[in-house]
Amino acid sequence: MESTIWTEKYRPQDFSEVKGQEHIVKRVTAFVEQKNMPHLMFAGPAGVGKSSLALVIAKKLFGESWRDNFLELNASDERGIDVVRVKVKDFARTRSIGNVPFKVIFLDECDALTKEAQQALRRTMEIYTKTCRFVLSCNFSSKILDPIQSRCAIFKFKPLAKEHIFDIIGKIAKNENISIDDKAKEALFDVSHGDCRKLENILQSSAAVTDKITEKTIYSIASQALPKEVKEILDETVQGKFLEARKKLLNTMLDNGLSGIDLIKQIQKEIWNIPAPDKKKLDMIKLCGEIEFRLVEGSDEFLQLEALLAGIMLLAK
Ligand SMILES: Nc1ncnc2c1ncn2[C@@H]1O[C@H](COP(=O)(O)OP(=O)(O)OP(=O)(O)O)[C@@H](O)[C@H]1O
Ligand SMILES: [Mg+2]
């Protein structure tokens, strides 16, 4: 068993390998070709290529000497923005090596910064703007102060679409010599929600337990019930077969080692497919929210999920 982590092994090394963010990659490529770029802000959910693209930028801009000209920092460093500021200062003090007139600083998790820390960041960006370009990464650009936003070209990354997820799975499967059927690929897309890091981690864990990956492998590694099982539980509930539904619920939880929280998310997702008037379905979804809150607060899991089934059954009548 090899010890490399696939999220690193399969990190894009070139613009062409960053999937699904075409218009962003196109504009960034142009910056790199002109060896000139503004500060950038990469906003978007986890595992969609923000850090990867920043690394590709550095490698393409600086070639061999990219390590000397690229600094990666976590803005939410628990030791505070002052540590970040000192590191930026040390790095920005010397000129870039090679024929690009600036260095690049990648600051991850910028939306974890407080307002005050963001003010400090803004001043730092101003001071070093002659010698450095900042690439700021965050989940939501709306959490970043306007004056910082207005200094950056903002790029919004999207979760990866199915075709790209399938491309990536195909590439890894071929390279690692694993067999994965179409249903398992669908399952991977379903559990990863377009988060490529999550996808690669689940795939690697699955490959560690079997070389023939099926839908069942994926859902069990991802701590989820098969959608089919959840659907059956709901079908029986709606048909008024409370005892059968309850038994299936218990089995599903025990067989897959699921917690109530794991399962309630899937139930909520499946409710919209129940044959019931929309108004009733809304009430059921609302009920899921209430039960989930009780679970988070530490109520008995099975008791709460039974109450949920009972509630859904009464609503469906
Ligand atoms: N667009 C993509 N194309 C190909 N592979 C990708 C893409 N996005 C993510 N990956 C894969 O997922 C891994 C993690 O991606 P990355 O570190 O770029 O995510 P991120 O957007 O920076 O997420 P976070 O916000 O959690 O830091 C990469 O090493 C790569 O293997
Ligand atoms: Mg990142």
Side-chain angles (χ1 to χ4, degrees):
M1 187 73 217
E2 62 171 347
S3 59
T4 36
I5 291 184
W6 287 2
T7 52
E8 287 310 324
K9 185 171 178 184
Y10 294 102
R11 196 183 275 287
Q13 297 300 323
D14 203 318
F15 288 121
S16 61
E17 289 173 13
V18 178
K19 302 281 175 206
Q21 318 289 356
E22 290 85 3
H23 62 292
I24 300 177
V25 170
K26 202 168 140 208
R27 282 186 62 196
V28 168
T29 309
F31 292 147
V32 168
E33 276 165 2
Q34 295 155 10
K35 298 203 184 304
N36 185 13
M37 70 175 204
H39 298 307
L40 310 178
M41 184 179 296
F42 291 171
V48 294
K50 301 184 298 298
S51 300
S52 302
L53 185 58
L55 270 168
V56 173
I57 291 177
K59 286 176 185 167
K60 294 292 151 188
L61 265 180
F62 304 114
E64 294 273 277
S65 65
W66 72 271
R67 280 195 183 79
D68 300 314
N69 293 307
F70 180 74
L71 175 70
E72 183 175 353
L73 291 173
N74 196 315
S76 67
D77 189 310
E78 74 277 10
R79 289 163 299 170
I81 188 75
D82 289 331
V83 174
V84 172
R85 229 160 32 186
V86 169
K87 284 192 180 155
V88 167
K89 198 170 137 196
D90 281 348
F91 177 73
R93 213 172 36 202
T94 56
R95 290 169 54 108
S96 59
I97 299 168
N99 58 357
V100 181
F102 53 82
K103 295 179 168 183
V104 172
I105 297 175
F106 178 65
L107 261 188
D108 216 347
E109 292 191 42
C110 286
D111 42 9
L113 293 174
T114 61
K115 285 252 157 13
E116 292 70 31
Q118 288 193 31
Q119 290 290 2
L121 172 62
R122 171 192 166 183
R123 282 191 295 278
T124 307
M125 287 173 77
E126 272 166 5
I127 296 172
Y128 300 110
T129 208
K130 272 222 176 74
T131 50
C132 290
R133 294 296 175 278
F134 286 82
V135 181
L136 309 179
S137 170
C138 59
N139 292 132
F140 302 102
S141 60
S142 57
K143 287 196 186 157
I144 307 293
L145 294 183
D146 282 340
I148 294 183
Q149 285 193 47
S150 68
R151 280 173 173 74
C152 300
I154 300 178
F155 295 97
K156 300 210 162 137
F157 284 63
K158 287 179 304 213
L160 270 69
K162 197 191 255 183
E163 53 169 316
H164 299 120
I165 295 277
F166 275 39
D167 272 0
I168 291 167
I169 299 172
K171 182 178 158 185
I172 297 178
K174 191 165 163 225
N175 206 35
E176 302 292 336
N177 242 331
I178 44 182
S179 115
I180 171 162
D181 62 28
D182 283 347
K183 273 194 152 170
K185 288 183 190 171
E186 290 282 348
L188 257 178
F189 176 67
D190 181 43
V191 299
S192 65
H193 301 289
D195 174 344
C196 200
R197 181 183 304 111
K198 190 164 180 187
L199 172 150
E200 290 173 353
N201 285 336
I202 294 173
L203 190 55
Q204 184 166 16
S205 307
S206 304
V209 295
T210 170
D211 48 15
K212 257 184 141 46
I213 298 173
T214 63
E215 180 186 35
K216 218 169 158 83
T217 326
I218 301 291
Y219 282 112
S220 102
I221 295 279
S223 293
Q224 288 199 13
L226 288 166
K228 188 171 92 45
E229 294 172 316
V230 178
K231 191 173 175 302
E232 284 167 8
I233 294 169
L234 279 175
D235 282 347
E236 285 179 344
T237 309
V238 170
Q239 289 159 19
K241 299 181 190 159
F242 184 75
L243 294 178
E244 285 92 332
R246 191 179 71 168
K247 189 163 161 228
K248 191 159 270 161
L249 175 77
L250 184 61
N251 286 341
T252 302
M253 280 176 81
L254 295 179
D255 287 352
N256 302 302
L258 300 179
S259 72
I261 301 272
D262 292 333
L263 203 54
I264 201 161
K265 293 202 174 113
Q266 285 190 268
I267 293 178
Q268 204 240 37
K269 210 164 124 192
E270 197 60 44
I271 282 182
W272 208 254
N273 301 323
I274 288 180
D278 283 358
K279 162 85 179 59
K280 301 258 181 183
K281 289 194 246 183
L282 291 175
D283 283 333
M284 292 173 191
I285 288 174
K286 198 170 141 211
L287 184 61
C288 281
E290 284 162 19
I291 302 277
E292 197 252 7
F293 180 72
R294 289 185 210 157
L295 288 174
V296 173
E297 290 288 304
S299 280
D300 182 295
E301 305 214 323
F302 195 60
L303 202 141
Q304 287 301 329
L305 284 180
E306 266 193 83
L308 176 65
L309 294 190
I312 291 175
M313 186 172 292
L314 289 170
L315 283 165
K317 273 205 172 147

